Amino acid sequence: MNPVISARGLTKRFGRTLAVDHIDLDIPAGRIVGLIGPNGAGKTTALKAILGLATFEGELNVLGKNPARDRASLMEDVCFIADVAVLPRWIRVWQLIDLTEQIHPGFSREKCLEYLSHTKVTPDHKVKQLSKGMVAQVHLALVMAIDVKLLVLDEPTLGLDILYRKQFYTNLLNDYFDEQRTILITTHQVEEVEHILTDLVFIQDGKIALSATMDEVQEKYVELMTSPQKAEQARGLGPMNERVMFGRHIFLYQNVNREHLADLGELHTPSVADLFVATMKGGEV
Amino acid sequence: MNRLIALMRREFWENKGAFRTTPLVIGGIYIVFMLMAIFTTTHIDNELYTFKEGINALAAQPAEMRALVIGEAMLGSSILFSVVMSFVILFYLLGSLYDDRKDRSILFWKSLPASDTLTIASKLLSAMFIIPAFFMAVLILTHTLMAIIGSLMVLSVDGNPWTLFLSVFNPFKAWGLIASSYLAQSIWALPLYGWLMLVSAFAPRVPLLFATLPPLIFAVLQTWIEFLRTFTLKNNIVGVIGEWLFNSPVILTAEFDDGRGGIALGIPLTKDFDHAVTIANMLDRLFSLQMLSGLVVAALCLAGALWLRHRAAES
């Protein structure tokens, strides 16, 4: 099956800076991909290229289209939430629904109203009367009512309180995601998304630092928690990262013989956040 | 086509105040002034003696004369609508490609499967046709209300409004002329509309400043260089823009210096075109060399606006 997104040598320059530096990337259908990187790593720039919002160098193919040229027709199969605050403030909810219905071929009014019925939002509300969390609910209801192949979420929960954030991802996973659809998420709140991701892409200084499925991550990376006495021995096995927590030394290894490690202490699958920190540190050396 | 209509509805929703409320306010002002005049008359003269005299004097005039007065009054009363409308269009277009960049809702609009070309078209067409349609509709409503109030007044003093003024002039003639002039003006003003949209797509802030400053600076430089060269003050961009305004195919002047109404297209200070209010004179402007060059300017500006819009969400 053709990948939903396929990039070869994707590059974006701002003046002399390379915001995205020759990225190669393939994202197949039916995945939930987390695009994770520090501020200024090029995540949003890469997403903008994918969404046809920015020009770029290199090859980029999204659902068989060149986004820079065919944004309008691409948007029939792609939806995105750029961040929580981009719905026009003057508009009423019923107007948003009307408009999306007339412009988007795959929009279902019933579905949208059904999602909204679980919230406090009414069709007569103006966006500017709603709280940030409610605006996010409206946007999510709109987007989930559209039948598209690719959904792109760029920091979709930024500035929302924890209740809304949990609800947001629960809705997304339960009501929306299926094998036909692909979701691409960037976020700083890695802990919130790591349980729903199927794939992980780390991006640093415009380059891909890691690209793996979550299964591969579990296979490849392991975290060892050990006592200070055994730390020296553990260090000798070439960990990617070391940190100390409550007097215990925690080492993160890549492609290491687990049987050797098991003798030294407890083994865990590392969290995405820890893996991220370790990978970013590795990149700095 | 459905998408274009949807986008134009969006323009109306966003600018309801400017599109609909503004002409209603102007119409309201006319009605209020008329009612105030009536109350003043009845207050001072409760027998309505002078009013009856006035009606008699009017009735004594030949029908053609009455038709002329009514026609000119109808055309002349459109001036306030037209002038305010041009300001509404000015500010609408200046905000058209700027506001959503400023509040970042452009990211939402760009997530819809509507092309940038369609978006720009929806805004330009709103300025060219939707806004004039609202102003025209309210103008007709205002005229109708004024005719009804006037008729009631005439009836109240046992006059016959039908023979006095209703039957002598076909209002559709005036409305047709005004509507045609609005359509002609929408085409005539295209270079300006294109420029405003270009500025709206480009301005990092305060589009009004960016729209007015460059031509002003250019004009000052041009005038200065021209003055150094020829020691005269002619042929500069202010002159070009001024003449463009003077030649507008929309009714802008009402002179009463010769005792009779002098309603004219644009401002009759230039001799390039005939300023009499006729469809032929409107068409004359639209099929002129000036118009052709104006369309070139409009096309360049709109192409620039489209290019900028395409990249508007980049950073």
Side-chain angles (χ1 to χ4, degrees):
Chain A
M1 194 171 167
N2 283 334
V4 173
I5 299 173
S6 156
R8 292 288 171 275
L10 179 66
T11 301
K12 175 71 191 180
R13 285 168 217 273
F14 289 114
R16 277 199 205 157
T17 343
L18 278 172
V20 176
D21 187 1
H22 298 90
I23 281 184
D24 293 339
L25 186 67
D26 282 302
I27 296 178
R31 316 294 296 182
I32 304 182
V33 183
L35 186 64
I36 292 157
N39 291 326
K43 298 174 305 240
T44 300
T45 311
L47 285 189
K48 283 191 169 165
I50 289 169
L51 295 167
L53 297 174
T55 53
F56 54 82
E57 296 163 45
E59 257 176 67
L60 178 60
N61 188 309
V62 181
L63 296 164
K65 285 169 185 151
N66 175 353
R69 243 197 357 249
D70 307 322
R71 180 189 60 82
S73 73
L74 184 63
M75 287 303 126
E76 291 182 6
D77 294 315
V78 180
C79 253
F80 70 86
I81 299 186
D83 77 41
V84 283
V86 302
L87 288 183
R89 289 173 52 73
W90 53 265
I91 208 165
R92 288 184 193 278
V93 173
W94 69 263
Q95 292 172 334
L96 268 175
I97 295 173
D98 262 25
L99 204 68
T100 314
E101 187 178 36
Q102 283 163 14
I103 294 181
H104 234 303
F107 179 76
S108 155
R109 173 183 285 267
E110 294 71 41
K111 265 192 201 170
C112 184
L113 291 174
E114 156 70 18
Y115 292 132
L116 281 180
S117 68
H118 301 302
T119 69
K120 287 183 188 144
V121 180
T122 66
D124 227 25
H125 267 119
K126 261 191 186 174
V127 167
K128 69 172 146 211
Q129 299 169 323
L130 301 174
S131 71
K132 218 172 176 188
M134 288 159 96
V135 175
Q137 286 178 328
V138 173
H139 207 161
L140 194 67
L142 275 178
V143 160
M144 292 206 308
I146 301 173
D147 186 17
V148 290
K149 299 190 180 97
L150 171 65
L151 175 63
V152 176
L153 304 169
D154 186 9
E155 294 287 356
T157 55
L158 199 70
L160 299 188
D161 70 39
I162 186 124
L163 292 175
Y164 280 120
R165 296 208 300 261
K166 284 255 183 249
Q167 193 61 42
F168 185 91
Y169 287 116
T170 311
N171 286 348
L172 200 64
L173 205 58
N174 294 344
D175 301 336
Y176 189 76
F177 182 67
D178 63 34
E179 289 80 44
Q180 315 302 319
R181 288 177 170 152
T182 305
I183 302 180
L184 182 58
I185 305 175
T186 76
T187 179
H188 284 111
Q189 275 127 358
V190 189
E191 307 79 21
E192 279 170 19
V193 292
E194 72 170 307
H195 304 292
I196 70 170
L197 297 182
T198 64
D199 292 69
L200 208 53
V201 176
F202 286 170
I203 183 164
Q204 185 178 28
D205 297 332
K207 293 194 177 83
I208 288 182
L210 181 147
S211 172
T213 65
M214 289 304 271
D215 293 343
E216 285 168 359
V217 167
Q218 279 185 18
E219 256 170 52
K220 236 170 135 181
Y221 298 92
V222 66
E223 212 171 48
L224 166 72
M225 195 191 272
T226 187
S227 59
Q229 295 79 12
K230 292 180 178 170
E232 202 49 49
Q233 207 183 338
R235 233 169 258 140
L237 292 168
M240 291 170 70
N241 189 32
E242 176 183 349
R243 65 200 161 95
V244 181
M245 209 163 86
F246 302 126
R248 306 273 282 167
H249 287 245
I250 301 167
F251 296 90
L252 200 147
Y253 296 92
Q254 179 181 6
N255 294 328
V256 80
N257 188 330
R258 288 179 194 229
E259 283 172 26
H260 288 183
L261 284 188
D263 300 336
L264 297 176
E266 288 172 51
L267 296 187
H268 303 282
T269 301
S271 74
V272 171
D274 291 332
L275 185 59
F276 176 70
V277 171
T279 312
M280 292 302 127
K281 271 192 187 165
E284 277 167 16
V285 177
Chain B
M1 196 61 201
N2 279 339
R3 280 183 186 161
L4 183 64
I5 292 168
L7 288 177
M8 285 169 77
R9 274 179 84 199
R10 170 228 129 114
E11 295 306 314
F12 168 63
W13 287 333
E14 185 176 2
N15 301 286
K16 251 187 222 162
F19 286 23
R20 196 180 58 189
T21 315
T22 315
L24 283 173
V25 167
I26 304 171
I29 289 172
Y30 274 109
I31 302 295
V32 166
F33 269 101
M34 188 176 183
L35 292 176
M36 276 166 68
I38 291 170
F39 283 126
T40 315
T41 312
T42 49
H43 184 73
I44 296 170
D45 172 14
N46 54 10
E47 296 287 311
L48 288 175
Y49 181 76
T50 22
F51 183 66
K52 281 180 204 157
E53 287 293 293
I55 287 175
N56 289 340
L58 192 62
Q61 297 283 338
E64 304 87 68
M65 196 57 168
R66 275 179 274 154
L68 191 73
V69 171
I70 295 159
E72 305 257 292
M74 285 179 79
L75 295 179
S77 61
S78 75
I79 296 174
L80 185 60
F81 281 89
S82 311
V83 170
V84 173
M85 181 172 82
S86 59
F87 280 100
V88 166
I89 294 175
L90 169 81
F91 286 106
Y92 165 67
L93 285 177
L94 278 179
S96 64
L97 300 170
Y98 172 78
D99 293 345
D100 60 0
R101 287 191 295 130
K102 195 178 62 179
D103 70 7
R104 303 192 1 101
S105 62
I106 185 171
L107 289 169
F108 171 72
W109 300 114
K110 287 232 182 192
S111 76
L112 296 174
S115 67
D116 297 328
T117 315
L118 205 63
T119 305
I120 288 188
S122 73
K123 290 167 190 277
L124 182 63
L125 292 175
S126 296
M128 289 177 73
F129 304 110
I130 305 298
I131 299 178
F134 274 104
F135 275 74
M136 193 63 223
V138 177
L139 178 62
I140 292 174
L141 183 71
T142 309
H143 282 162
T144 310
L145 276 173
M146 290 174 88
I148 291 172
I149 297 171
S151 303
L152 289 176
M153 279 299 288
V154 173
L155 282 173
S156 75
V157 293
D158 298 325
N160 184 341
W162 182 254
T163 51
L164 183 68
F165 67 94
L166 288 179
S167 64
V168 296
F169 183 75
N170 179 1
F172 288 96
K173 210 176 127 192
W175 293 334
L177 273 173
I178 297 167
S180 312
S181 80
Y182 282 0
L183 285 177
Q185 176 67 6
S186 292
I187 298 166
W188 184 248
L190 270 176
L192 175 68
Y193 293 177
W195 168 252
L196 293 174
M197 290 188 87
L198 178 64
V199 171
S200 182
F202 155 80
R205 62 189 75 83
V206 207
L208 184 62
L209 212 62
F210 282 85
T212 48
L213 267 188
L216 209 66
I217 293 169
F218 186 77
V220 169
L221 285 177
Q222 207 187 11
T223 313
W224 176 58
I225 292 168
E226 189 69 19
F227 180 72
L228 291 184
R229 226 158 51 82
T230 64
F231 292 101
T232 56
L233 292 166
K234 275 194 294 190
N235 293 329
N236 59 59
I237 191 171
V238 173
V240 173
I241 295 172
E243 280 190 23
W244 206 273
L245 173 72
F246 292 167
N247 288 332
S248 294
V250 71
I251 299 161
L252 284 181
T253 11
E255 302 174 295
F256 292 94
D257 52 3
D258 59 349
R260 287 181 43 201
I263 302 285
L265 291 180
I267 299 166
L269 295 174
T270 53
K271 298 277 174 279
D272 307 5
F273 296 102
D274 188 342
H275 291 271
V277 185
T278 65
I279 304 265
N281 285 341
M282 295 172 195
L283 290 176
D284 197 27
R285 286 159 170 75
L286 299 188
F287 291 97
S288 66
L289 208 59
Q290 281 100 317
M291 188 71 253
L292 196 65
S293 59
L295 288 179
V296 173
V297 172
L300 288 175
C301 286
L302 289 171
L306 182 61
W307 190 87
L308 288 165
R309 182 72 180 179
H310 195 59
R311 284 154 187 76
E314 207 154 285
S315 51

